[in-house]
Amino acid sequence: MKTSKSQAYFQQAQEVFPGGVNSPVRSFQAVGGEPLCIAKAQGSYIEDIDGNRYIDYVLSWGPMILGHAPKTVLEAVNKSLSLGTSFGAPCQAELDLGLLLKERLPYLEKVRMVNSGTEATMSAIRLARGVTGRKKIVKFIGCYHGHSDSFLVQAGSGVASLGMASSAGILPELAQETIALPFNDLEALEAVFEAYASDIAGVIVEAVAGNMGLVPGTPTFLQGIQKLCKKTGALFIVDEVMTGFRVHIQGAVGLFGLEPDLVCLGKVIGSGFPVAAFGGKAIWMDQVAPLGPVYQAGTLSGNPIAMTAGYAGLSALTSEVFKAIVEKTSYLVEGLQSLVEQYQMKLQVLSIGTMFGFFCSDKPVTNFELSQASDHELFTQLYNLLLNEGIYLAPSPYEANFLSAAHTWEDLQETLTAFEMAFKTLKEG
């Protein structure tokens, strides 16, 4: 595999961008080596500037559920381009996508379009604080909700403690208004509500976490959050930026039968364009400006091209299409599990809907602490062996992977063959 052009690109990029990238995980620091510079993508494949072709399971970190450059989205976008690229005013395309989201997600009574998952989550917690008049937000360690100041905190000592800033530039007094707790630990949450119930504005959670590896919340844990929020008047916020239309046709909320106050969406709803949204019960959303006192705005929110792309992609994602992707995801994971048993590899493999992941660990992973304890050196070895075989996975042990409608049964078999070759190499080691 030749990578000379990608290497030359990365050397130049480091003179322009911090670390040579515009998002940290793209740097390949977690897996060694240097990132690939991608030239083009089509269907289930990406190709770098050296001409190497890979079966892609990153899929732009989730949005490309139909595969890269699907015809239905390209045709809609090309038509929209001829009408103008941005209006800064209401347009039919944003209403079309909004109505489709409401139709697909019954709990979504009203919605506000934004441009990124970070915008969606930071707006949701501002709304929670605004409508409750309370300060504190509860999050869970290992759940990623974007890079706004309120979320970049780490837990202190003890069962539950006030957050401490885990990034330079975050004011301690702001970080202290975020309480970070272990994921899947309902007892810790109950203890926090006992101590701070009158000051908790909301609890935000990835019902299926995808940024500590793929880790589902337990039904007891998720229902417990919902019950405590309802009892105390705190808002129950489900972050579906990654899992929306991924783990279930109605997202994690549909998978677990939850009744959130607010939900944050992104990735799939934009079909590869910068689109996200937050929404939920009208009683809360009607407090967002211009109706209410909670301010939120965005120059490119509801951009006509992005809205058109999102509508075209989501319209094509029928329940039948989704079911077919789930079947392929299950087939891949079952094949991997069989190989793991055959070669006695230290690997935990699982899938949820159209997402899959694996941990280099002897035991199931249910929280961030267990994810951290997995064998990252083994992951790095496995990752690079697979990359050399043309399999492009998320370059971090803390990320999930994805399938699309464009992945073929041949792609899956080729992937399983690559895993088997990698396992043989590691065993011969």
Side-chain angles (χ1 to χ4, degrees), residues 57-333:
Y57 293 104
V58 179
L59 295 174
S60 192
W61 303 95
M64 315 312 300
I65 197 165
L66 299 178
H68 291 289
K71 183 179 179 181
T72 182
V73 174
L74 292 184
E75 289 178 346
V77 166
N78 285 333
K79 183 177 180 180
S80 181
L81 277 169
S82 67
L83 303 176
T85 58
S86 181
F87 306 146
C91 66
Q92 184 65 44
E94 65 184 351
L95 180 57
D96 291 342
L97 181 55
L99 289 171
L100 183 56
L101 288 172
K102 279 173 57 77
E103 176 187 326
R104 295 286 185 92
L105 307 173
Y107 56 82
L108 202 68
E109 295 175 2
K110 288 194 175 181
V111 63
R112 170 62 60 88
M113 297 296 183
V114 294
N115 299 291
S116 71
T118 292
E119 281 186 66
T121 54
M122 75 179 191
S123 300
I125 65 166
R126 179 184 299 165
L127 180 55
R129 285 170 167 151
V131 300
T132 63
R134 303 172 183 177
K135 295 181 179 180
K136 299 191 187 303
I137 297 293
V138 177
K139 72 176 289 286
F140 299 93
I141 303 164
C143 289
Y144 179 69
H145 305 294
H147 60 87
S148 67
D149 287 1
S150 291
F151 294 130
L152 292 182
V153 300
Q154 60 188 10
S157 60
V159 175
S161 63
L162 298 184
M164 296 174 59
S166 58
S167 170
I170 297 175
L171 299 175
E173 54 267 35
L174 178 59
Q176 288 172 6
E177 299 301 345
T178 301
I179 303 173
L181 302 174
F183 190 65
N184 274 326
D185 190 336
L186 185 57
E187 288 186 7
L189 182 64
E190 289 171 340
V192 161
F193 266 94
E194 192 171 324
Y196 299 107
S198 63
D199 202 24
I200 296 175
V203 179
I204 186 167
V205 66
E206 286 185 291
V208 176
N211 286 279
M212 57 175 117
L214 185 61
V215 181
T218 67
T220 299
F221 173 64
L222 297 170
Q223 294 291 344
I225 299 173
Q226 180 171 288
K227 183 177 180 180
L228 285 167
C229 286
K230 187 173 183 179
K231 180 180 178 181
T232 61
L235 267 60
F236 178 35
I237 308 167
V238 180
D239 181 349
E240 295 252 37
V241 171
M242 181 180 291
T243 58
F245 301 100
R246 269 288 177 191
V247 298
H248 184 275
I249 195 64
Q250 292 183 333
V253 168
L255 179 65
F256 291 104
L258 303 175
E259 298 178 13
D261 292 294
L262 298 173
V263 172
C264 303
L265 298 166
K267 296 187 185 287
V268 167
I269 71 167
S271 296
F273 282 75
V275 177
F278 68 101
K281 295 180 179 178
I283 188 174
W284 309 129
M285 292 302 296
D286 283 344
Q287 297 304 307
V288 177
L291 289 181
V294 179
Y295 193 76
Q296 186 280 326
T299 299
L300 293 176
S301 296
N303 174 271
I305 297 171
M307 296 293 98
T308 297
Y311 179 81
L314 202 56
S315 296
L317 185 63
T318 63
S319 57
E320 291 76 18
V321 170
F322 185 85
K323 182 180 178 181
I325 307 172
V326 172
E327 288 176 355
K328 290 178 180 178
T329 308
S330 298
Y331 174 84
L332 177 62
V333 168

